[in-house]
Amino acid sequence: MKAIVVTDQAAGTAGMTLVERPKPAPAGNDVLVEVFASGFTPDELTWPSSWTDRLGRDRTPSVPGHELAGVVAALGYGTAGLSVGQRVFGLTDWTRDGTLAEYAAVEARNLAPLPGDVDFTVGASLPISGLTAWQGLFQHGRLQAGQSVLVHGAAGGVGSVVTQLAREAGAYVIGTGRTAHRRTALDFGAQEFVDLEKDTLEDVGGVDLVFDVFGGDIGRRSAGLVRAGGTLVTIAGPPEARPADGLAIDFVVESDRAQLGEIVQRVRDGRLRTIIGTVSALDDAVAAFNPTERVNPTERVSPTERVSPTERVSPTERVRGKTIIRVRP
């Protein structure tokens, strides 16, 4: 099969090569997925888990990519809940070969059915942003209708999904970002927008929940905006400041079949949309990841540093959509 592999951590995306390698065999409780579309997070090449296994042993040449949509090609011993020929999507394990390949072996529990009316490209764009938003809002943030939410990076890959889910849940949403992001954030459902280039963040006043993707100075200042009993949820690493009378939680996104089902149903209903940027074929993937002039990626983190592999970005970086590799037409 064709696959993108990496062998040199220092080279980053410039070290990617397209090779032929054997099709993986599904282990017990695994599914072999024929990959139709794969999502890629450029900074995953800085994560130790991209280069070593759970015991710290070198596993190069390794296949990057952790989001996929495709069709079940085979089942491993004891695998239940999915069937050969079924359309699926999901988030793969961080320390195993990933999804920038024609086939990927994935734990069945990490996959959910992909309805026939959802395109594979859309399916591959959902797992990281969707699960991160869902878990941050509802598991860790315990969001309730009528509460107020400050969403940093509301026009970005994760922030836009957070904004949509929070609005649907009956929250009052205040988005943040650059001046150029105002219209996008409002279009996704933010009821107010704080321009981090021009406005004073503290003018927001108190909120029940902060969803932070930036960390740094923005994260520190945001802790002071959380009302008594509220929560600061961050995917930018351990918080540098905590609310005076509330919780501060950082987390790493995990795959969850039921949550994936909730997310994709909202896509089908038109209640949720993701931002898709570049879409390239597998044969063109190496060139797509190494353009002459590159926009700063909106997703940069390391799960081994207890940072969710989503969008840790500077408030002044440009937003672009999710990079999707269309493995099959």
Side-chain angles (χ1 to χ4, degrees), residues 33-75:
V33 178
E34 183 180 8
V35 181
F36 277 67
S38 169
F40 178 68
T41 302
D43 271 21
E44 72 182 62
L45 298 185
T46 67
W47 307 342
S49 57
S50 295
W51 307 95
T52 59
D53 63 18
R54 294 187 185 281
L55 298 178
R57 300 172 300 195
D58 179 81
R59 65 180 188 87
T60 58
S62 57
V63 179
H66 293 291
E67 297 169 284
L68 87 166
V71 173
V72 175
L75 304 177

Side-chain angles (χ1 to χ4, degrees), residues 112-281:
L114 181 69
D117 55 357
V118 178
D119 186 79
F120 288 115
T121 299
V122 174
S125 75
L126 290 171
I128 284 181
S129 60
L131 289 170
T132 300
W134 189 279
Q135 291 166 18
L137 285 174
F138 304 124
Q139 282 185 226
H140 304 295
R142 304 180 308 282
L143 180 67
Q144 301 294 320
Q147 292 185 323
S148 55
V149 184
L150 178 65
V151 182
H152 287 309
V158 171
S160 62
V161 179
V162 173
T163 297
Q164 293 170 83
L165 291 178
R167 273 298 302 272
E168 184 193 37
Y172 185 85
V173 180
I174 305 166
T176 78
R178 292 179 60 200
T179 303
H181 301 160
R182 177 184 296 274
R183 185 70 263 163
T184 301
L186 295 175
D187 286 345
F188 276 114
Q191 288 141 299
E192 292 184 35
F193 183 80
V194 178
D195 186 334
L196 295 176
E197 295 176 319
K198 299 179 179 179
D199 300 331
T200 301
L201 180 61
E202 287 72 15
D203 288 346
V204 166
V207 295
D208 298 298
L209 175 63
V210 173
F211 199 117
D212 176 36
V213 301
F214 295 140
D217 179 62
I218 295 296
R220 287 191 298 270
R221 292 163 62 192
S222 297
L225 303 177
V226 177
R227 292 177 179 143
T231 306
L232 167 68
V233 172
T234 180
I235 59 172
E240 299 177 27
R242 295 177 175 273
D245 188 14
L247 298 175
I249 300 171
D250 69 296
F251 73 100
V252 176
V253 64
E254 298 178 349
S255 192
D256 185 290
R257 182 178 293 177
Q259 293 172 7
L260 287 170
E262 293 280 0
I263 291 161
V264 78
Q265 184 58 51
R266 284 162 172 76
V267 172
R268 298 181 74 194
D269 294 344
R271 292 177 285 161
L272 183 66
R273 54 195 169 98
T274 59
I275 304 173
I276 297 175
T278 302
V279 179
S280 298

Side-chain angles (χ1 to χ4, degrees), residues 74-104:
L75 304 177
Y77 178 78
T79 299
L82 297 171
S83 58
V84 173
Q86 187 172 11
R87 299 172 94 247
V88 293
F89 75 117
L91 179 64
T92 68
D93 189 279
W94 308 120
T95 57
R96 295 178 61 176
D97 277 342
T99 62
L100 290 177
E102 292 181 311
Y103 291 88

